[in-house]
Amino acid sequence: MNLPKNGVAREIRSYLGSLLIFFFIVGIIITFVQFPVLESNKEIVLMLIGSISASIPVIISAVSGTKPDDINALKSTIEKKEHQIQMLVDAKDRLEDMVINLQKEMLQNQDMMLDRILLKNAMDFDDKHNPSKK
């Protein structure tokens, strides 16, 4: 028999536990509707219902396997990861700016180099065709 993995088992436990608690409370309500409570026992029954309803969140967290500390730890981990992502995005933006600036400088240097080459060739051409100006 293949048992579900830990995450799936936790979800199934949580779902079944929540259903069990829900049906238990519905059963209590139906019982009190069908069988009226005596005035002498009314305070005791109301105290029991209050106790049960106050302990529902604790029971659900115990059944589901989650604890408030676990949730807070996960929230802080998520915040740290979001901060790291923001830092990485900022670093990526700075690197993109650096690449753009480098490309601009390379184009300017290429233009200057072409201008120098053309000027040198023009001067060489002039020197070949007008040797008397030296």
Side-chain angles (χ1 to χ4, degrees), residues 11-71:
E11 289 179 19
I12 291 172
R13 253 192 343 256
S14 170
Y15 181 72
L16 292 177
S18 299
L19 280 177
L20 178 71
I21 292 168
F22 175 74
F23 287 129
F24 178 70
I25 292 173
V26 168
I28 289 174
I29 292 172
I30 290 172
T31 303
F32 288 142
V33 168
Q34 288 181 353
F35 305 106
V37 178
L38 298 174
E39 287 296 323
S40 61
N41 294 335
K42 190 172 188 174
E43 292 178 14
I44 296 172
V45 170
L46 288 176
M47 186 183 68
L48 288 174
I49 290 174
S51 299
I52 291 171
S53 62
S55 65
I56 287 175
V58 175
I59 293 171
I60 290 175
S61 67
V63 168
S64 65
T66 59
K67 298 176 185 168
D69 295 336
D70 294 343
I71 293 172

Side-chain angles (χ1 to χ4, degrees), residues 55-123:
S55 65
I56 287 175
V58 175
I59 293 171
I60 290 175
S61 67
V63 168
S64 65
T66 59
K67 298 176 185 168
D69 295 336
D70 294 343
I71 293 172
N72 291 335
L74 290 174
K75 284 181 182 178
S76 68
T77 302
I78 288 173
E79 289 175 2
K80 288 178 185 176
K81 297 295 181 187
E82 287 175 350
H83 181 67
Q84 287 176 344
I85 289 171
Q86 187 60 41
M87 287 176 46
L88 288 173
V89 167
D90 292 343
K92 177 195 66 86
D93 290 342
R94 286 193 303 274
L95 287 174
E96 285 177 348
D97 288 341
M98 289 172 59
V99 167
I100 290 170
N101 289 337
L102 182 63
Q103 288 174 343
K104 285 179 184 177
E105 287 180 16
M106 288 172 63
L107 285 174
Q108 288 173 350
N109 288 341
Q110 186 179 11
D111 285 345
M112 287 179 14
M113 221 32 185
L114 283 174
D115 289 344
R116 287 180 184 170
I117 290 172
L118 288 175
L119 181 62
K120 183 180 181 322
N121 284 338
M123 289 172 67

